[in-house]
Amino acid sequence: MAIHPTAIVDPKASIAADVEIGAYSIIGPDVSIDSGTWVGPHVVIEGHTSIGKNNRIFQFSSLGAIPQDKKYAGEPTRLEIGDNNTIREFCTFNIGTAQDVGVTRLGNNNWIMAYVHLGHDCQIGNNTIFANNATLGGHVHIGDWVILGGFTSVHQFAIVGDHAMTAFASAVAQDVPPYVMAHGNRAVPAGINAEGLKRRGFTPEQIRRVRNAYKALYRQGLQYDAAKEAILAEAQQGHAELEPFVRFFAQSERGIIR
């Protein structure tokens, strides 16, 4: 374990033997950090926070502070961070609340740029990219492979489906279906991220089916329920690329961006 002499690490914290902790960082008593993780200087990690393996946490980040929620009354809620995440400067991740599942979660292999805020009870998947100043209100759910452009703001309780993408300064007030590119204030749909899907190994036929799902939602004049049923019927044919729509429709309650 390489802990800088100016760092303050509570003796009750659980820190793996090879974790590095930089100058003037503060680690609280209910924190656990797994092997291979590097914590830079001037980082504060508090609350009931667990951090997995091989993460890189840069200076001036604040992880595990209490929620920015007036209803919070000291409940022992949590922040859980998975493996292989990069968390850049000045990020703020809050613990959960008793009004939800009580846990704020960040999955694995995420690239989180500077000044990103994860509000209480947010659930973030894997392989995401959040550009500078992306801000999530409480209870937001973000799927796998999502890209949030810089200064994107996501309204509390909103859902952003797998493989979706937002442009710079997007204001997301409703749910964003899987694969959809969104832009503007308020955010509106602008096609699918076909180039990103190619880079991730999607076949032309899979991309065609995703594009057809987008057309059903936005281009064919169908009512939302009719479009949803058409996509679900296609997904039942065993097309794995449409499974994100199945999960999305089961969770979405705010209505989708239009």
Short mmCIF file of all heavy atoms in Angstrom, two decimals, residues 105-175:
data_model
loop_
_atom_site.label_atom_id
_atom_site.label_comp_id
_atom_site.label_asym_id
_atom_site.label_seq_id
_atom_site.Cartn_x
_atom_site.Cartn_y
_atom_site.Cartn_z
N ARG A 105 -24.99 3.71 -8.05
CA ARG A 105 -24.08 2.72 -8.63
C ARG A 105 -23.44 3.24 -9.92
O ARG A 105 -24.11 3.79 -10.78
CB ARG A 105 -24.80 1.42 -8.95
CG ARG A 105 -25.25 0.63 -7.74
CD ARG A 105 -25.73 -0.76 -8.17
NE ARG A 105 -26.12 -1.57 -7.03
CZ ARG A 105 -27.37 -1.69 -6.58
NH1 ARG A 105 -28.34 -1.03 -7.20
NH2 ARG A 105 -27.64 -2.45 -5.54
N LEU A 106 -22.14 2.98 -10.03
CA LEU A 106 -21.40 3.16 -11.27
C LEU A 106 -20.79 1.81 -11.61
O LEU A 106 -20.10 1.21 -10.77
CB LEU A 106 -20.30 4.20 -11.10
CG LEU A 106 -19.40 4.45 -12.31
CD1 LEU A 106 -20.17 5.17 -13.41
CD2 LEU A 106 -18.16 5.26 -11.92
N GLY A 107 -21.05 1.30 -12.82
CA GLY A 107 -20.60 -0.04 -13.19
C GLY A 107 -19.13 -0.14 -13.49
O GLY A 107 -18.29 0.42 -12.78
N ASN A 108 -18.78 -0.80 -14.59
CA ASN A 108 -17.40 -1.08 -14.95
C ASN A 108 -17.01 -0.41 -16.26
O ASN A 108 -17.84 -0.18 -17.13
CB ASN A 108 -17.18 -2.59 -15.10
CG ASN A 108 -17.61 -3.37 -13.87
OD1 ASN A 108 -17.37 -2.95 -12.74
ND2 ASN A 108 -18.22 -4.53 -14.09
N ASN A 109 -15.72 -0.10 -16.37
CA ASN A 109 -15.13 0.37 -17.63
C ASN A 109 -15.75 1.68 -18.13
O ASN A 109 -15.92 1.89 -19.32
CB ASN A 109 -15.28 -0.70 -18.73
CG ASN A 109 -14.68 -2.02 -18.31
OD1 ASN A 109 -13.52 -2.10 -17.94
ND2 ASN A 109 -15.48 -3.07 -18.33
N ASN A 110 -16.08 2.55 -17.19
CA ASN A 110 -16.65 3.85 -17.56
C ASN A 110 -15.57 4.93 -17.57
O ASN A 110 -14.63 4.90 -16.77
CB ASN A 110 -17.75 4.23 -16.56
CG ASN A 110 -18.89 3.24 -16.58
OD1 ASN A 110 -19.66 3.19 -17.53
ND2 ASN A 110 -19.01 2.43 -15.53
N TRP A 111 -15.74 5.88 -18.47
CA TRP A 111 -14.79 6.99 -18.64
C TRP A 111 -15.54 8.27 -18.26
O TRP A 111 -16.37 8.77 -19.02
CB TRP A 111 -14.30 7.04 -20.08
CG TRP A 111 -13.27 8.07 -20.37
CD1 TRP A 111 -13.47 9.32 -20.88
CD2 TRP A 111 -11.85 7.95 -20.20
NE1 TRP A 111 -12.28 9.99 -21.02
CE2 TRP A 111 -11.27 9.18 -20.61
CE3 TRP A 111 -11.02 6.94 -19.73
CZ2 TRP A 111 -9.89 9.39 -20.58
CZ3 TRP A 111 -9.66 7.15 -19.70
CH2 TRP A 111 -9.11 8.37 -20.11
N ILE A 112 -15.28 8.76 -17.06
CA ILE A 112 -16.02 9.88 -16.50
C ILE A 112 -15.10 11.10 -16.48
O ILE A 112 -14.11 11.13 -15.74
CB ILE A 112 -16.53 9.57 -15.08
CG1 ILE A 112 -17.28 8.23 -15.05
CG2 ILE A 112 -17.40 10.70 -14.57
CD1 ILE A 112 -18.52 8.18 -15.90
N MET A 113 -15.41 12.11 -17.26
CA MET A 113 -14.54 13.27 -17.37
C MET A 113 -14.81 14.28 -16.26
O MET A 113 -15.64 14.06 -15.37
CB MET A 113 -14.70 13.91 -18.75
CG MET A 113 -14.33 12.98 -19.89
SD MET A 113 -14.34 13.83 -21.49
CE MET A 113 -14.42 12.42 -22.60
N ALA A 114 -14.11 15.39 -16.29
CA ALA A 114 -14.10 16.34 -15.17
C ALA A 114 -15.46 16.97 -14.92
O ALA A 114 -16.26 17.17 -15.84
CB ALA A 114 -13.07 17.43 -15.44
N TYR A 115 -15.71 17.26 -13.65
CA TYR A 115 -16.89 18.01 -13.18
C TYR A 115 -18.21 17.26 -13.40
O TYR A 115 -19.28 17.88 -13.41
CB TYR A 115 -16.98 19.38 -13.85
CG TYR A 115 -15.89 20.34 -13.43
CD1 TYR A 115 -14.73 20.48 -14.19
CD2 TYR A 115 -16.03 21.12 -12.28
CE1 TYR A 115 -13.73 21.38 -13.81
CE2 TYR A 115 -15.03 22.01 -11.90
CZ TYR A 115 -13.88 22.12 -12.66
OH TYR A 115 -12.90 23.00 -12.28
N VAL A 116 -18.17 15.96 -13.55
CA VAL A 116 -19.41 15.20 -13.70
C VAL A 116 -20.06 15.01 -12.33
O VAL A 116 -19.40 14.72 -11.34
CB VAL A 116 -19.14 13.83 -14.35
CG1 VAL A 116 -20.34 12.90 -14.23
CG2 VAL A 116 -18.76 14.01 -15.82
N HIS A 117 -21.38 15.17 -12.29
CA HIS A 117 -22.14 14.96 -11.05
C HIS A 117 -23.11 13.80 -11.22
O HIS A 117 -23.90 13.78 -12.18
CB HIS A 117 -22.94 16.21 -10.67
CG HIS A 117 -23.83 15.99 -9.47
ND1 HIS A 117 -23.32 15.79 -8.20
CD2 HIS A 117 -25.18 15.91 -9.35
CE1 HIS A 117 -24.34 15.62 -7.36
NE2 HIS A 117 -25.47 15.68 -8.04
N LEU A 118 -23.03 12.83 -10.31
CA LEU A 118 -24.00 11.74 -10.24
C LEU A 118 -24.85 11.97 -9.00
O LEU A 118 -24.37 11.81 -7.87
CB LEU A 118 -23.32 10.37 -10.15
CG LEU A 118 -22.33 9.99 -11.26
CD1 LEU A 118 -21.88 8.54 -11.08
CD2 LEU A 118 -22.92 10.21 -12.64
N GLY A 119 -26.11 12.34 -9.21
CA GLY A 119 -27.01 12.56 -8.08
C GLY A 119 -27.35 11.25 -7.39
O GLY A 119 -27.06 10.15 -7.86
N HIS A 120 -28.00 11.38 -6.24
CA HIS A 120 -28.35 10.21 -5.44
C HIS A 120 -29.22 9.22 -6.21
O HIS A 120 -30.06 9.59 -7.02
CB HIS A 120 -29.06 10.64 -4.15
CG HIS A 120 -30.30 11.45 -4.39
ND1 HIS A 120 -31.51 10.89 -4.69
CD2 HIS A 120 -30.50 12.79 -4.37
CE1 HIS A 120 -32.42 11.84 -4.83
NE2 HIS A 120 -31.84 13.01 -4.66
N ASP A 121 -28.93 7.95 -5.98
CA ASP A 121 -29.70 6.83 -6.53
C ASP A 121 -29.56 6.65 -8.03
O ASP A 121 -30.32 5.90 -8.64
CB ASP A 121 -31.19 6.96 -6.16
CG ASP A 121 -31.41 7.03 -4.66
OD1 ASP A 121 -31.18 6.03 -3.97
OD2 ASP A 121 -31.79 8.12 -4.17
N CYS A 122 -28.60 7.33 -8.66
CA CYS A 122 -28.36 7.08 -10.08
C CYS A 122 -27.80 5.67 -10.26
O CYS A 122 -27.05 5.16 -9.43
CB CYS A 122 -27.37 8.11 -10.64
SG CYS A 122 -28.08 9.75 -10.86
N GLN A 123 -28.18 5.06 -11.37
CA GLN A 123 -27.72 3.72 -11.72
C GLN A 123 -27.07 3.81 -13.10
O GLN A 123 -27.75 4.03 -14.09
CB GLN A 123 -28.89 2.73 -11.75
CG GLN A 123 -29.76 2.73 -10.49
CD GLN A 123 -29.03 2.23 -9.27
OE1 GLN A 123 -28.36 1.19 -9.30
NE2 GLN A 123 -29.15 2.96 -8.16
N ILE A 124 -25.74 3.64 -13.12
CA ILE A 124 -24.97 3.80 -14.36
C ILE A 124 -24.44 2.43 -14.76
O ILE A 124 -23.88 1.70 -13.94
CB ILE A 124 -23.79 4.78 -14.16
CG1 ILE A 124 -24.23 6.05 -13.42
CG2 ILE A 124 -23.15 5.10 -15.51
CD1 ILE A 124 -25.35 6.80 -14.06
N GLY A 125 -24.58 2.10 -16.04
CA GLY A 125 -24.13 0.80 -16.53
C GLY A 125 -22.64 0.72 -16.76
O GLY A 125 -21.83 1.28 -16.01
N ASN A 126 -22.27 0.05 -17.85
CA ASN A 126 -20.87 -0.22 -18.17
C ASN A 126 -20.49 0.43 -19.50
O ASN A 126 -21.33 0.66 -20.36
CB ASN A 126 -20.64 -1.73 -18.27
CG ASN A 126 -21.10 -2.47 -17.04
OD1 ASN A 126 -20.79 -2.09 -15.91
ND2 ASN A 126 -21.86 -3.54 -17.25
N ASN A 127 -19.19 0.72 -19.63
CA ASN A 127 -18.63 1.20 -20.90
C ASN A 127 -19.23 2.53 -21.37
O ASN A 127 -19.35 2.78 -22.56
CB ASN A 127 -18.82 0.15 -22.00
CG ASN A 127 -18.19 -1.18 -21.65
OD1 ASN A 127 -16.97 -1.27 -21.50
ND2 ASN A 127 -19.00 -2.20 -21.48
N THR A 128 -19.59 3.38 -20.43
CA THR A 128 -20.11 4.69 -20.80
C THR A 128 -19.00 5.71 -20.90
O THR A 128 -17.90 5.52 -20.38
CB THR A 128 -21.15 5.19 -19.77
OG1 THR A 128 -20.48 5.45 -18.53
CG2 THR A 128 -22.25 4.17 -19.55
N ILE A 129 -19.31 6.83 -21.55
CA ILE A 129 -18.42 8.00 -21.60
C ILE A 129 -19.27 9.21 -21.23
O ILE A 129 -20.27 9.51 -21.91
CB ILE A 129 -17.81 8.20 -22.99
CG1 ILE A 129 -16.95 7.00 -23.38
CG2 ILE A 129 -16.97 9.49 -23.02
CD1 ILE A 129 -16.45 7.05 -24.82
N PHE A 130 -18.90 9.90 -20.16
CA PHE A 130 -19.56 11.14 -19.77
C PHE A 130 -18.56 12.26 -19.96
O PHE A 130 -17.55 12.32 -19.25
CB PHE A 130 -20.00 11.10 -18.30
CG PHE A 130 -21.11 10.13 -17.97
CD1 PHE A 130 -21.62 9.26 -18.92
CD2 PHE A 130 -21.64 10.09 -16.69
CE1 PHE A 130 -22.65 8.37 -18.62
CE2 PHE A 130 -22.65 9.21 -16.37
CZ PHE A 130 -23.16 8.35 -17.33
N ALA A 131 -18.83 13.17 -20.88
CA ALA A 131 -17.91 14.28 -21.12
C ALA A 131 -18.05 15.34 -20.02
O ALA A 131 -18.94 15.28 -19.17
CB ALA A 131 -18.16 14.88 -22.50
N ASN A 132 -17.16 16.31 -20.06
CA ASN A 132 -17.06 17.30 -18.98
C ASN A 132 -18.40 17.94 -18.65
O ASN A 132 -19.16 18.34 -19.53
CB ASN A 132 -16.08 18.41 -19.37
CG ASN A 132 -14.65 17.91 -19.49
OD1 ASN A 132 -14.34 16.79 -19.10
ND2 ASN A 132 -13.79 18.74 -20.05
N ASN A 133 -18.66 18.05 -17.34
CA ASN A 133 -19.83 18.76 -16.80
C ASN A 133 -21.16 18.07 -17.07
O ASN A 133 -22.22 18.70 -16.91
CB ASN A 133 -19.88 20.20 -17.30
CG ASN A 133 -18.79 21.06 -16.70
OD1 ASN A 133 -17.73 21.23 -17.31
ND2 ASN A 133 -19.03 21.60 -15.53
N ALA A 134 -21.16 16.83 -17.50
CA ALA A 134 -22.42 16.10 -17.57
C ALA A 134 -22.99 16.01 -16.15
O ALA A 134 -22.27 15.74 -15.19
CB ALA A 134 -22.23 14.71 -18.15
N THR A 135 -24.29 16.25 -16.02
CA THR A 135 -24.93 16.35 -14.70
C THR A 135 -26.19 15.51 -14.68
O THR A 135 -27.09 15.71 -15.51
CB THR A 135 -25.26 17.82 -14.37
OG1 THR A 135 -24.06 18.58 -14.36
CG2 THR A 135 -25.95 17.94 -13.03
N LEU A 136 -26.28 14.60 -13.72
CA LEU A 136 -27.44 13.75 -13.58
C LEU A 136 -28.19 14.08 -12.31
O LEU A 136 -27.61 14.08 -11.22
CB LEU A 136 -27.04 12.26 -13.53
CG LEU A 136 -26.12 11.73 -14.63
CD1 LEU A 136 -25.98 10.23 -14.51
CD2 LEU A 136 -26.60 12.12 -16.02
N GLY A 137 -29.49 14.37 -12.44
CA GLY A 137 -30.32 14.53 -11.26
C GLY A 137 -30.49 13.20 -10.55
O GLY A 137 -30.04 12.15 -11.02
N GLY A 138 -31.16 13.21 -9.41
CA GLY A 138 -31.36 11.98 -8.66
C GLY A 138 -32.18 10.96 -9.43
O GLY A 138 -33.00 11.30 -10.29
N HIS A 139 -31.93 9.68 -9.15
CA HIS A 139 -32.74 8.55 -9.64
C HIS A 139 -32.63 8.33 -11.15
O HIS A 139 -33.46 7.64 -11.73
CB HIS A 139 -34.22 8.75 -9.28
CG HIS A 139 -34.47 9.19 -7.88
ND1 HIS A 139 -34.44 8.33 -6.80
CD2 HIS A 139 -34.75 10.43 -7.36
CE1 HIS A 139 -34.71 9.01 -5.69
NE2 HIS A 139 -34.89 10.29 -6.01
N VAL A 140 -31.62 8.89 -11.79
CA VAL A 140 -31.44 8.70 -13.23
C VAL A 140 -30.84 7.32 -13.50
O VAL A 140 -29.95 6.86 -12.77
CB VAL A 140 -30.53 9.80 -13.81
CG1 VAL A 140 -30.10 9.46 -15.23
CG2 VAL A 140 -31.24 11.14 -13.76
N HIS A 141 -31.31 6.66 -14.57
CA HIS A 141 -30.76 5.37 -15.00
C HIS A 141 -30.11 5.55 -16.37
O HIS A 141 -30.75 6.03 -17.32
CB HIS A 141 -31.86 4.32 -15.08
CG HIS A 141 -32.34 3.84 -13.75
ND1 HIS A 141 -32.58 2.51 -13.49
CD2 HIS A 141 -32.61 4.50 -12.60
CE1 HIS A 141 -32.99 2.37 -12.24
NE2 HIS A 141 -33.02 3.58 -11.68
N ILE A 142 -28.86 5.14 -16.47
CA ILE A 142 -28.10 5.23 -17.71
C ILE A 142 -27.66 3.83 -18.10
O ILE A 142 -27.06 3.10 -17.30
CB ILE A 142 -26.85 6.13 -17.54
CG1 ILE A 142 -27.24 7.53 -17.04
CG2 ILE A 142 -26.08 6.20 -18.85
CD1 ILE A 142 -27.92 8.40 -18.04
N GLY A 143 -27.95 3.42 -19.34
CA GLY A 143 -27.62 2.08 -19.79
C GLY A 143 -26.16 1.92 -20.17
O GLY A 143 -25.32 2.80 -19.97
N ASP A 144 -25.83 0.77 -20.75
CA ASP A 144 -24.47 0.46 -21.19
C ASP A 144 -24.15 1.20 -22.49
O ASP A 144 -25.03 1.46 -23.32
CB ASP A 144 -24.32 -1.04 -21.44
CG ASP A 144 -24.51 -1.88 -20.18
OD1 ASP A 144 -24.36 -1.33 -19.07
OD2 ASP A 144 -24.80 -3.08 -20.33
N TRP A 145 -22.88 1.55 -22.64
CA TRP A 145 -22.35 2.13 -23.87
C TRP A 145 -22.97 3.50 -24.20
O TRP A 145 -22.94 3.94 -25.35
CB TRP A 145 -22.54 1.19 -25.06
CG TRP A 145 -21.82 -0.11 -24.94
CD1 TRP A 145 -22.34 -1.31 -24.57
CD2 TRP A 145 -20.42 -0.35 -25.20
NE1 TRP A 145 -21.37 -2.28 -24.58
CE2 TRP A 145 -20.19 -1.72 -24.96
CE3 TRP A 145 -19.37 0.46 -25.60
CZ2 TRP A 145 -18.93 -2.30 -25.10
CZ3 TRP A 145 -18.12 -0.12 -25.74
CH2 TRP A 145 -17.90 -1.48 -25.50
N VAL A 146 -23.50 4.18 -23.23
CA VAL A 146 -24.07 5.51 -23.45
C VAL A 146 -22.96 6.54 -23.50
O VAL A 146 -21.98 6.46 -22.75
CB VAL A 146 -25.08 5.85 -22.33
CG1 VAL A 146 -25.48 7.32 -22.37
CG2 VAL A 146 -26.30 4.95 -22.43
N ILE A 147 -23.11 7.53 -24.35
CA ILE A 147 -22.19 8.67 -24.42
C ILE A 147 -22.98 9.94 -24.14
O ILE A 147 -23.96 10.24 -24.85
CB ILE A 147 -21.51 8.77 -25.80
CG1 ILE A 147 -20.70 7.50 -26.08
CG2 ILE A 147 -20.62 10.01 -25.87
CD1 ILE A 147 -20.12 7.45 -27.49
N LEU A 148 -22.57 10.67 -23.11
CA LEU A 148 -23.19 11.96 -22.80
C LEU A 148 -22.23 13.07 -23.19
O LEU A 148 -21.09 13.12 -22.69
CB LEU A 148 -23.52 12.07 -21.31
CG LEU A 148 -24.52 11.05 -20.74
CD1 LEU A 148 -24.80 11.36 -19.27
CD2 LEU A 148 -25.81 11.03 -21.54
N GLY A 149 -22.66 13.96 -24.08
CA GLY A 149 -21.83 15.08 -24.48
C GLY A 149 -21.62 16.06 -23.34
O GLY A 149 -22.36 16.08 -22.34
N GLY A 150 -20.61 16.89 -23.48
CA GLY A 150 -20.30 17.88 -22.45
C GLY A 150 -21.48 18.76 -22.11
O GLY A 150 -22.25 19.15 -22.98
N PHE A 151 -21.64 19.05 -20.82
CA PHE A 151 -22.71 19.90 -20.30
C PHE A 151 -24.11 19.32 -20.52
O PHE A 151 -25.10 20.04 -20.42
CB PHE A 151 -22.62 21.32 -20.89
CG PHE A 151 -21.45 22.10 -20.40
CD1 PHE A 151 -20.23 22.05 -21.07
CD2 PHE A 151 -21.54 22.89 -19.27
CE1 PHE A 151 -19.13 22.76 -20.62
CE2 PHE A 151 -20.45 23.61 -18.81
CZ PHE A 151 -19.24 23.55 -19.49
N THR A 152 -24.20 18.02 -20.81
CA THR A 152 -25.52 17.39 -20.85
C THR A 152 -26.11 17.38 -19.45
O THR A 152 -25.44 17.07 -18.48
CB THR A 152 -25.41 15.95 -21.38
OG1 THR A 152 -25.09 15.98 -22.77
CG2 THR A 152 -26.72 15.18 -21.19
N SER A 153 -27.39 17.70 -19.35
CA SER A 153 -28.13 17.63 -18.08
C SER A 153 -29.27 16.65 -18.24
O SER A 153 -30.01 16.71 -19.22
CB SER A 153 -28.68 19.00 -17.70
OG SER A 153 -27.63 19.93 -17.50
N VAL A 154 -29.41 15.75 -17.28
CA VAL A 154 -30.47 14.74 -17.34
C VAL A 154 -31.38 14.93 -16.14
O VAL A 154 -30.94 14.91 -14.98
CB VAL A 154 -29.90 13.31 -17.34
CG1 VAL A 154 -31.03 12.29 -17.50
CG2 VAL A 154 -28.88 13.15 -18.47
N HIS A 155 -32.67 15.11 -16.41
CA HIS A 155 -33.68 15.36 -15.38
C HIS A 155 -33.81 14.16 -14.46
O HIS A 155 -33.66 13.01 -14.88
CB HIS A 155 -35.02 15.64 -16.05
CG HIS A 155 -36.06 16.22 -15.15
ND1 HIS A 155 -36.78 15.47 -14.25
CD2 HIS A 155 -36.51 17.50 -15.03
CE1 HIS A 155 -37.63 16.24 -13.61
NE2 HIS A 155 -37.49 17.49 -14.06
N GLN A 156 -34.13 14.43 -13.20
CA GLN A 156 -34.29 13.33 -12.25
C GLN A 156 -35.36 12.35 -12.73
O GLN A 156 -36.33 12.72 -13.38
CB GLN A 156 -34.67 13.86 -10.88
CG GLN A 156 -35.96 14.65 -10.81
CD GLN A 156 -36.20 15.22 -9.43
OE1 GLN A 156 -35.37 15.08 -8.53
NE2 GLN A 156 -37.35 15.86 -9.24
N PHE A 157 -35.11 11.07 -12.44
CA PHE A 157 -35.97 9.93 -12.80
C PHE A 157 -35.95 9.59 -14.30
O PHE A 157 -36.63 8.65 -14.71
CB PHE A 157 -37.42 10.16 -12.36
CG PHE A 157 -37.61 10.20 -10.87
CD1 PHE A 157 -37.76 11.41 -10.23
CD2 PHE A 157 -37.61 9.03 -10.12
CE1 PHE A 157 -37.92 11.46 -8.85
CE2 PHE A 157 -37.77 9.07 -8.75
CZ PHE A 157 -37.93 10.28 -8.11
N ALA A 158 -35.19 10.31 -15.10
CA ALA A 158 -35.14 9.98 -16.53
C ALA A 158 -34.28 8.74 -16.76
O ALA A 158 -33.41 8.38 -15.96
CB ALA A 158 -34.60 11.15 -17.33
N ILE A 159 -34.52 8.10 -17.90
CA ILE A 159 -33.78 6.91 -18.33
C ILE A 159 -33.14 7.20 -19.68
O ILE A 159 -33.77 7.76 -20.57
CB ILE A 159 -34.71 5.69 -18.45
CG1 ILE A 159 -35.32 5.33 -17.09
CG2 ILE A 159 -33.98 4.49 -19.03
CD1 ILE A 159 -36.40 4.27 -17.18
N VAL A 160 -31.88 6.80 -19.82
CA VAL A 160 -31.19 6.87 -21.11
C VAL A 160 -30.79 5.45 -21.47
O VAL A 160 -30.02 4.81 -20.75
CB VAL A 160 -29.96 7.79 -21.05
CG1 VAL A 160 -29.27 7.84 -22.42
CG2 VAL A 160 -30.35 9.19 -20.60
N GLY A 161 -31.35 4.93 -22.57
CA GLY A 161 -31.16 3.53 -22.93
C GLY A 161 -29.78 3.21 -23.47
O GLY A 161 -29.00 4.09 -23.84
N ASP A 162 -29.48 1.91 -23.55
CA ASP A 162 -28.19 1.43 -24.04
C ASP A 162 -27.83 2.05 -25.39
O ASP A 162 -28.69 2.18 -26.27
CB ASP A 162 -28.22 -0.09 -24.21
CG ASP A 162 -28.38 -0.85 -22.91
OD1 ASP A 162 -28.35 -0.23 -21.84
OD2 ASP A 162 -28.52 -2.10 -22.97
N HIS A 163 -26.58 2.38 -25.55
CA HIS A 163 -26.01 2.86 -26.82
C HIS A 163 -26.54 4.21 -27.27
O HIS A 163 -26.28 4.64 -28.40
CB HIS A 163 -26.24 1.84 -27.94
CG HIS A 163 -25.64 0.49 -27.70
ND1 HIS A 163 -24.31 0.22 -27.91
CD2 HIS A 163 -26.19 -0.66 -27.23
CE1 HIS A 163 -24.07 -1.05 -27.62
NE2 HIS A 163 -25.19 -1.60 -27.20
N ALA A 164 -27.29 4.90 -26.42
CA ALA A 164 -27.76 6.24 -26.79
C ALA A 164 -26.61 7.24 -26.68
O ALA A 164 -25.57 6.98 -26.07
CB ALA A 164 -28.92 6.66 -25.89
N MET A 165 -26.83 8.42 -27.26
CA MET A 165 -25.78 9.44 -27.30
C MET A 165 -26.42 10.82 -27.27
O MET A 165 -27.43 11.05 -27.94
CB MET A 165 -24.94 9.28 -28.57
CG MET A 165 -23.81 10.25 -28.72
SD MET A 165 -22.84 9.88 -30.23
CE MET A 165 -21.56 11.10 -30.10
N THR A 166 -25.86 11.73 -26.47
CA THR A 166 -26.36 13.10 -26.47
C THR A 166 -25.28 14.05 -26.97
O THR A 166 -24.09 13.82 -26.77
CB THR A 166 -26.80 13.55 -25.07
OG1 THR A 166 -25.65 13.63 -24.20
CG2 THR A 166 -27.82 12.60 -24.48
N ALA A 167 -25.72 15.12 -27.60
CA ALA A 167 -24.81 16.14 -28.09
C ALA A 167 -24.46 17.11 -26.97
O ALA A 167 -25.03 17.09 -25.88
CB ALA A 167 -25.44 16.88 -29.26
N PHE A 168 -23.51 17.98 -27.25
CA PHE A 168 -23.10 19.02 -26.32
C PHE A 168 -24.29 19.83 -25.82
O PHE A 168 -25.17 20.21 -26.59
CB PHE A 168 -22.10 19.94 -27.03
CG PHE A 168 -21.81 21.23 -26.33
CD1 PHE A 168 -20.92 21.27 -25.26
CD2 PHE A 168 -22.43 22.40 -26.71
CE1 PHE A 168 -20.65 22.46 -24.61
CE2 PHE A 168 -22.17 23.60 -26.07
CZ PHE A 168 -21.27 23.62 -25.01
N ALA A 169 -24.35 20.04 -24.51
CA ALA A 169 -25.34 20.91 -23.87
C ALA A 169 -26.78 20.45 -24.08
O ALA A 169 -27.69 21.26 -24.11
CB ALA A 169 -25.17 22.35 -24.33
N SER A 170 -26.97 19.16 -24.21
CA SER A 170 -28.33 18.64 -24.32
C SER A 170 -29.02 18.70 -22.96
O SER A 170 -28.41 18.46 -21.92
CB SER A 170 -28.32 17.19 -24.81
OG SER A 170 -27.78 17.10 -26.11
N ALA A 171 -30.31 19.01 -22.96
CA ALA A 171 -31.11 19.02 -21.75
C ALA A 171 -32.16 17.91 -21.88
O ALA A 171 -33.12 18.06 -22.63
CB ALA A 171 -31.78 20.37 -21.54
N VAL A 172 -31.95 16.82 -21.18
CA VAL A 172 -32.77 15.63 -21.33
C VAL A 172 -33.86 15.65 -20.26
O VAL A 172 -33.58 15.46 -19.08
CB VAL A 172 -31.92 14.36 -21.21
CG1 VAL A 172 -32.80 13.12 -21.33
CG2 VAL A 172 -30.83 14.34 -22.28
N ALA A 173 -35.11 15.88 -20.68
CA ALA A 173 -36.21 15.98 -19.73
C ALA A 173 -37.09 14.74 -19.71
O ALA A 173 -37.86 14.54 -18.78
CB ALA A 173 -37.07 17.21 -20.05
N GLN A 174 -36.98 13.90 -20.75
CA GLN A 174 -37.75 12.66 -20.81
C GLN A 174 -36.80 11.52 -21.17
O GLN A 174 -35.60 11.73 -21.36
CB GLN A 174 -38.89 12.80 -21.82
CG GLN A 174 -39.96 13.78 -21.38
CD GLN A 174 -41.06 13.93 -22.41
OE1 GLN A 174 -40.86 14.52 -23.47
NE2 GLN A 174 -42.23 13.39 -22.11
N ASP A 175 -37.33 10.33 -21.27
CA ASP A 175 -36.49 9.16 -21.50
C ASP A 175 -35.97 9.12 -22.93
O ASP A 175 -36.69 9.47 -23.88
CB ASP A 175 -37.28 7.89 -21.20
CG ASP A 175 -37.72 7.79 -19.74
OD1 ASP A 175 -37.13 8.50 -18.89
OD2 ASP A 175 -38.65 7.02 -19.46
#
